[in-house]
């Protein structure tokens, strides 16, 4: 096992890609309902791996002590189709419950409807509504219990961030040969600042050096909140070459500070792209030094904005390596196709 050989936090197994690996990046569902038609339609287009880029639940609007039931709803279309997935956290997943001011007016507290099947809730006959929120650790423990989940909590030393791990992709032609490395990082928010810490940057530098010392293997990085580097490359009006995409309708809401992560990434020519979510009104990709900075596409019906829903699709081929990505809309149409070669 790679995990024991390198003594670093890898996902539970190296992922066997086949000659091509297709992935779907889903961003910000902001779930608190069971309406998942857009996920179901998008899921039929993928069979290899789904990456949940954070904000699966709007925890600040979820009045239960454990939001795992809503998380289970969010991943259910993927799980029911037997598709593996990897998850990272966004700023809303463990955000403290926000009490609506109107609940304390003359209208009073409304009837609270809690899920009938909440995981890990006490069976004492109470309603299960505690308004206490759910920690990242609890959400990850529930996620990683699923057989198809490739997610991992990551090193305890990086607390309070959770979901920091690496996922090697193995060749279908030569078993055991790693042809790509996927890195997942928690960009904070919710119960602590929106930031990728210096400790996380150091961890990434160490783990990437152990897994890929000669920089031979292509690497891809995923997190929820874009780094400040995204602001530097953001198109000012519309989207013009060399950038590619379809919507540029808000300013980049970046991490609060840069603690060295982008410097580490930029020094590794093996890193081909970084994928982020967070901004619902952005879906562009732009070059930054020798790599690409990309947004996914807002997939869910929660959160702000009413732009058409979709997801970023990624197809990776080996020998020779190439990375093709595009946007697939809920209605099945596609756009913003682009291919990177090693």
């Amino acid at each position: 096992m790679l995990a024991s050989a390198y003594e670093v936090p890898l996902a539970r197994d190296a992922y066997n890609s086949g000659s091509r690996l297709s992935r779907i990046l889903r961003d910000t569902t902001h779930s608190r309902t069971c309406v998942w038609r857009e996920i179901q339609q998008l899921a039929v287009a993928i069979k290899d791996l789904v990456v949940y880029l954070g904000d699966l639940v709007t925890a600040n609007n979820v009045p239960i002590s454990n939001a795992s039931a809503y998380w289970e709803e969010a991943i259910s279309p993927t799980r029911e189709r037997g598709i593996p997935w990897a998850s990272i956290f966004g700023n809303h997943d463990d955000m403290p419950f926000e009490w609506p001011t109107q609940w304390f007016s003359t209208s009073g507290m409304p009837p609270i409807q809690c899920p009938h099947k909440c995981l890990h809730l006490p069976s004492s006959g109470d309603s299960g509504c505690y308004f206490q929120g759910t920690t990242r650790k609890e959400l990850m423990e529930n996620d990683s219990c699923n057989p198809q989940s490739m997610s991992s909590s990551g090193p305890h030393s990086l607390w309070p961030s959770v979901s920091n791990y690496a996922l090697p992709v193995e060749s279908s032609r030569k078993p055991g040969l790693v042809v790509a490395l996927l890195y997942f990082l928690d960009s904070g928010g919710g119960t602590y600042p929106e930031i990728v810490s210096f400790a996380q940057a150091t961890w990434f530098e160490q783990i990437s050096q152990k897994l890929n010392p000669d920089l031979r293997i292509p690497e891809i990085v995923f997190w929820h909140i874009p780094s400040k580097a995204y602001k530097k490359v953001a198109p000012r009006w519309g989207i013009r070459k060399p950038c590619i995409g379809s919507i540029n309708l808000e300013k980049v809401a970046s991490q609060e500070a840069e603690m060295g992560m982008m410097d580490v990434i930029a020094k590794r020519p093996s890193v081909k792209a970084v994928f982020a979510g967070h901004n619902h009104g952005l879906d562009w990709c732009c070059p930054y030094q020798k790599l690409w900075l990309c947004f996914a596409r807002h997939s869910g019906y929660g959160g702000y904005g009413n732009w058409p829903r979709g997801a970023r699709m990624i197809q990776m081929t080996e020998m020779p390596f190439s990375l093709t990505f595009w946007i697939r809309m809920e209605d099945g149409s596609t756009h913003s196709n682009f291919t990177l070669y090693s």
Side-chain angles (χ1 to χ4, degrees):
M1 290 289 293
L2 286 173
S4 60
Y6 289 107
E7 296 183 349
V8 291
L10 302 182
R12 288 175 295 180
D13 299 288
Y15 190 79
N16 193 300
S17 68
S19 58
R20 292 184 176 182
L21 171 66
S22 297
R23 277 167 288 159
I24 179 172
L25 300 189
R26 302 202 55 265
D27 177 49
T28 56
T29 63
H30 287 284
S31 164
R32 57 171 302 187
T33 71
C34 296
V35 181
W36 296 111
R37 66 179 183 273
E38 81 288 348
I39 305 175
Q40 293 168 352
Q41 292 175 1
L42 289 167
V44 299
I46 200 77
K47 64 178 182 178
D48 293 320
L49 182 68
V50 172
V51 176
Y52 289 104
L53 272 177
D55 283 4
L56 267 70
V57 295
T58 310
N60 45 305
N61 292 336
V62 176
I64 62 174
S65 63
N66 195 321
S68 297
Y70 290 115
W71 188 281
E72 286 292 306
E73 289 181 10
I75 63 176
S76 61
T78 308
R79 184 184 60 241
E80 291 166 3
R81 287 165 173 79
I83 305 170
W85 72 83
S87 301
I88 53 177
F89 291 116
N91 53 301
H92 283 278
D93 291 308
D94 73 340
M95 186 174 286
F97 181 74
E98 297 176 359
W99 290 84
T101 304
Q102 59 268 31
W103 286 12
F104 301 91
S105 67
T106 56
S107 61
M109 186 81 69
I112 303 299
Q113 296 182 353
C114 296
H116 295 295
K117 296 181 179 180
C118 292
L119 301 183
H120 313 304
L121 288 182
S123 56
S124 59
D126 52 35
S127 65
C129 296
Y130 299 100
F131 308 95
Q132 294 177 353
T134 309
T135 67
R136 277 167 153 80
K137 183 176 182 293
E138 291 169 329
L139 289 170
M140 181 55 75
E141 286 176 350
N142 183 73
D143 182 288
S144 57
C145 283
N146 287 278
Q148 292 113 306
S149 173
M150 309 297 287
S151 309
S152 177
S153 293
H156 296 296
S157 60
L158 299 182
W159 187 85
S161 70
V162 180
S163 70
N164 302 285
Y165 57 99
L167 178 60
V169 180
E170 287 189 353
S171 170
S172 62
R173 303 176 185 180
K174 296 181 179 179
L177 175 65
V178 176
V179 295
L181 287 163
L182 314 181
Y183 298 94
F184 303 85
L185 290 104
D186 189 339
S187 54
T191 53
Y192 74 98
E194 298 178 350
I195 201 165
V196 174
S197 68
F198 176 78
Q200 288 172 282
T202 302
W203 168 80
F204 173 80
E205 186 172 31
Q206 292 173 347
I207 187 177
S208 59
Q209 181 61 26
K210 288 180 179 179
L211 295 176
N212 195 18
D214 58 3
L215 306 176
R216 177 187 58 83
I217 305 172
E219 299 170 316
I220 306 170
V221 177
F222 303 90
W223 55 51
H224 179 72
I225 303 174
S227 65
K228 287 188 174 293
Y230 277 71
K231 287 187 172 182
K232 296 179 181 179
V233 301
R236 292 190 176 184
W237 300 280
I239 300 176
R240 295 179 176 84
K241 292 183 178 180
C243 297
I244 187 168
S246 68
I247 55 173
N248 183 33
L249 300 177
E250 59 177 328
K251 294 181 179 180
V252 173
S254 70
Q255 298 165 22
E256 296 176 22
E258 173 59 50
M259 296 294 179
M261 185 64 191
M262 288 306 303
D263 290 338
V264 175
I265 287 177
K267 292 176 182 177
R268 295 188 65 82
S270 49
V271 177
K272 304 304 179 184
V274 177
F275 292 94
H278 196 49
N279 280 98
H280 298 187
L282 303 174
D283 74 351
W284 48 258
C285 291
C286 289
Y288 173 78
Q289 298 189 26
K290 295 182 179 181
L291 59 104
W292 282 74
L293 301 181
C294 294
F295 282 99
R297 178 83 183 207
H298 184 210
S299 304
Y301 279 79
Y304 71 92
N306 59 357
W307 300 288
R309 274 67 180 177
R312 180 164 295 282
M313 311 291 290
I314 302 175
Q315 186 177 78
M316 185 171 62
T317 60
E318 59 171 298
M319 302 179 186
F321 173 85
S322 68
L323 190 69
T324 300
F325 40 87
W326 67 97
I327 299 293
R328 186 181 191 274
M329 303 303 294
E330 184 181 358
D331 63 7
S333 61
T334 62
H335 60 80
S336 306
N337 188 292
F338 185 76
T339 300
L340 293 175
Y341 297 97
S342 180

